[in-house]
Amino acid sequence: MTTFVDRVELHVAAGNGGHGCASVHREKFKPLGGPDGGNGGRGGDVTLVVDQAITTLLEYHHSPHRKATNGQPGAGDNRSGKDGQDLVLTVPDGTVVLDKQGNVLADLVGQGTTFVAGQGGRGGLGNAALSSARRKAPGFALLGEPGEARDIVLELKTVADVALVGYPSAGKSSLISVLSAAKPKIADYPFTTLVPNLGVVTAGSTVYTIADVPGLIPGASQGRGLGLEFLRHVERCSVLVHVLDTATLESDRDPVTDLDIIEEELKQYGGLEDRPRVVVLNKIDIPDGQDLADMIRPDLEERGYQVFEVSAVARTGLKELSFALADIVAKARAAKPKEESTRIVLRPKAVDDAGFTVTYDEAEDVYRVRGEKPERWVRQTDFNNDEAVGYLADRLNRLGVEDALMKAGARAGDGVAIGAEDNAVVFDWEPTMMAGAEMLGRRGEDHRLEAPRPAAQRRRDREAERDEAQREYDEFDPF
């Protein structure tokens, strides 16, 4: 039996950024021609895109792990690495994206709607991009950032105007097959419908969609039967149609009791109290079905329901039903607020915003530095390279981290952690923020470039020896 899948947990991982390259240009007669290391490529994003041709999440149920490609590292001769290829995942219209805690991240409705589920990592800068007047030939490059990896939950909520609700085998699939061109599976056993069926109905000048979703049984709001897999698909509908079986063969059931049970489940689920209801008494082509419909119709009308007697097999009463539903849908559409085009809102950060915070963690006895820039700089630093560590120290000092630590009460030798608690870089803080880079001499300079060429040096050495010999000869006086 086919599994009904409208909720999946997806593990997405964006591509990592490529590392920058530390290289020095070399050619004949010019062995140290300056830095020429290229930048690393950007990692690919993981993007969700709505495709109305897709109707199920079954593909992601079987393959829940998706990863974009990484960016390529940079190379010498100022060659930048290739960017990673974005991974585009198509999802059905009406897909809701949630995090593991149940918070809604995006509601994807409408063809082409996109959501970036995983942001690719930035590529690291090569030493050519890091060079400056003070740092003529950096002997290091920045590392590429890791891509964003997280677990998300995809829930499919059918986008339809009308939802057919009712017990299994009440005739919902038969009804949608005669009202529209949909061809659902129809049989006389419970839970024939395992996936939502959508049909398009034209009634006069109104065109609307109708959904036939899996049958409802007592306890569905708590997950019994197809439970939430059913109820989730009626949230977006404008009108609920109760399809009641007037020719049921079960002795312990009757249409009015079925209606009360279904309404109780809808109440327990919540959020559907404001939707108009319509009652359809189906299977009146059977003599006992017509007699039962005539008996219960006055009671249903007294409750305020609009009641229609139909037969999907004999195709009676369908025209009146389709036009009545079209009228309700048209009123619901007119009552909705007019959709405005999405405006792009720019929220620049304040000029005086340092962009980081310094707090003291008593449990770990460290000062924690949290902020987008410091954490990104730490991720991009090669801690096996002393010059790279010195460059990080300079950047943190210019950002104001040292002053903030002093104001927070940090002293020389105190522990400082930068980054998330589970993956932080911890070091002993020194007020000078040199982090061992004082052993490099003047930071940002490459003494290899300051050294003279070997041939010129040998010539100067010979000239110095000649001058010294001449001086000693001139100072020697045998008489």
Side-chain angles (χ1 to χ4, degrees):
M1 185 172 66
T2 305
T3 302
F4 177 52
V5 177
D6 67 344
R7 186 180 190 276
V8 297
E9 183 175 336
L10 194 61
H11 312 278
V12 297
N16 300 327
H19 299 327
C21 176
S23 173
V24 176
H25 180 72
R26 289 177 173 84
E27 61 180 80
K28 191 176 182 179
F29 304 120
K30 196 174 183 182
L32 298 175
D36 67 348
N39 302 332
R42 177 188 62 85
D45 298 335
V46 179
T47 306
L48 304 179
V49 180
V50 172
D51 185 353
Q52 294 181 342
I54 306 297
T55 58
T56 179
L57 297 173
L58 188 61
E59 177 184 358
Y60 306 118
H61 173 73
H62 294 304
S63 302
H65 296 272
R66 302 300 177 102
K67 188 180 188 306
T69 58
N70 299 330
Q72 297 300 311
D77 201 16
N78 293 304
R79 290 175 293 174
S80 296
K82 182 180 179 181
D83 291 342
Q85 186 175 1
D86 294 340
L87 178 61
V88 179
L89 304 177
T90 55
V91 295
D93 191 6
T95 300
V96 179
V97 186
L98 306 99
D99 60 14
K100 293 284 289 184
Q101 290 72 36
N103 302 315
V104 177
L105 303 177
D107 191 355
L108 305 179
V109 178
Q111 178 70 22
T113 306
T114 61
F115 171 71
V116 179
Q119 187 77 40
R122 299 185 185 184
L125 297 179
N127 64 342
L130 296 174
S131 62
S132 63
R134 294 185 57 229
R135 184 176 285 103
K136 298 179 181 179
F140 68 98
L142 298 185
L143 304 179
E145 285 190 89
E148 184 180 10
R150 60 178 174 177
D151 300 332
I152 59 176
V153 177
L154 303 182
E155 285 188 354
L156 175 59
K157 297 182 180 180
T158 304
V159 180
D161 299 302
V162 179
L164 302 181
V165 299
Y167 260 72
S169 298
K172 300 183 299 298
S173 298
S174 300
L175 188 59
I176 195 175
S177 68
V178 295
L179 285 174
S180 67
K183 302 298 180 185
K185 182 181 179 181
I186 299 173
D188 59 352
Y189 53 84
F191 297 111
T192 307
T193 303
L194 298 175
V195 295
N197 295 310
L198 289 177
V200 179
V201 181
T202 302
S205 59
T206 304
V207 179
Y208 59 92
T209 56
I210 187 169
D212 160 35
V213 291
L216 188 63
I217 62 174
S221 59
Q222 284 76 41
R224 186 180 176 190
L226 294 179
L228 301 179
E229 285 81 352
F230 163 79
L231 292 170
R232 188 177 297 122
H233 293 273
V234 303
E235 291 186 14
R236 302 184 190 274
C237 299
S238 302
V239 56
L240 302 178
V241 178
H242 288 280
V243 181
L244 303 181
D245 186 0
T246 61
T248 178
L249 299 178
E250 300 179 31
S251 58
D252 58 341
R253 283 181 49 200
D254 65 86
V256 177
T257 304
D258 291 352
L259 175 63
D260 294 337
I261 292 175
I262 295 172
E263 279 293 336
E264 180 62 26
E265 295 302 325
L266 295 176
K267 179 181 179 181
Q268 293 293 330
Y269 186 75
L272 302 172
E273 294 79 7
D274 60 337
R275 311 298 166 84
R277 265 74 161 170
V278 173
V279 174
V280 172
L281 302 177
N282 193 21
K283 303 182 182 181
I284 62 170
D285 55 302
I286 300 175
D288 292 341
Q290 181 64 65
D291 295 340
L292 184 57
D294 295 337
M295 184 185 305
I296 64 175
R297 179 166 185 166
D299 183 23
L300 296 175
E301 290 179 343
E302 287 182 3
R303 297 188 183 188
Y305 292 110
Q306 192 175 2
V307 183
F308 295 89
E309 298 178 6
V310 303
S311 172
V313 176
R315 296 177 182 255
T316 58
L318 300 178
K319 185 176 181 180
E320 294 80 359
L321 175 62
S322 63
F323 275 87
L325 294 177
D327 182 60
I328 298 176
V329 170
K331 292 180 180 179
R333 291 175 179 174
K336 287 183 178 180
K338 185 178 179 181
E339 295 184 359
E340 299 181 358
S341 58
T342 303
R343 295 181 296 176
I344 299 176
V345 180
L346 300 179
R347 296 183 176 89
K349 295 181 179 180
V351 176
D352 58 347
D353 185 8
F356 68 91
T357 59
V358 177
T359 57
Y360 178 66
D361 188 346
E362 294 184 1
E364 299 294 335
D365 191 24
V366 294
Y367 289 87
R368 293 195 177 276
V369 180
R370 299 299 303 271
E372 180 183 355
K373 284 184 177 181
E375 293 181 26
R376 185 176 75 245
W377 293 345
V378 166
R379 290 193 299 266
Q380 291 182 318
T381 300
D382 180 8
F383 286 93
N384 294 322
N385 187 307
D386 291 339
E387 191 176 352
V389 175
Y391 177 69
L392 171 65
D394 277 349
R395 300 178 85 180
L396 294 175
N397 192 15
R398 289 196 299 268
L399 187 62
V401 173
E402 181 175 351
D403 294 337
L405 287 171
M406 290 182 176
K407 292 180 181 179
R411 299 180 181 179
D414 288 345
V416 175
I418 302 178
E421 295 184 7
D422 56 344
N423 191 27
V425 174
V426 183
F427 58 92
D428 295 332
W429 181 62
E430 294 295 336
T432 57
M433 292 298 293
M434 298 296 288
E438 64 274 9
M439 300 174 61
L440 298 173
R442 296 182 60 186
R443 189 178 305 154
E445 296 183 358
D446 192 327
H447 299 291
R448 297 172 299 173
L449 299 182
E450 299 176 359
R453 290 177 296 175
Q457 184 62 39
R458 287 195 299 270
R459 186 173 59 252
R460 280 194 288 268
D461 291 340
R462 288 196 298 267
E463 292 177 353
E465 292 176 358
R466 219 170 26 245
D467 294 340
E468 180 64 20
Q470 184 64 40
R471 184 179 60 80
E472 292 178 355
Y473 178 80
D474 294 337
E475 292 178 353
F476 177 72
D477 186 6
F479 305 101

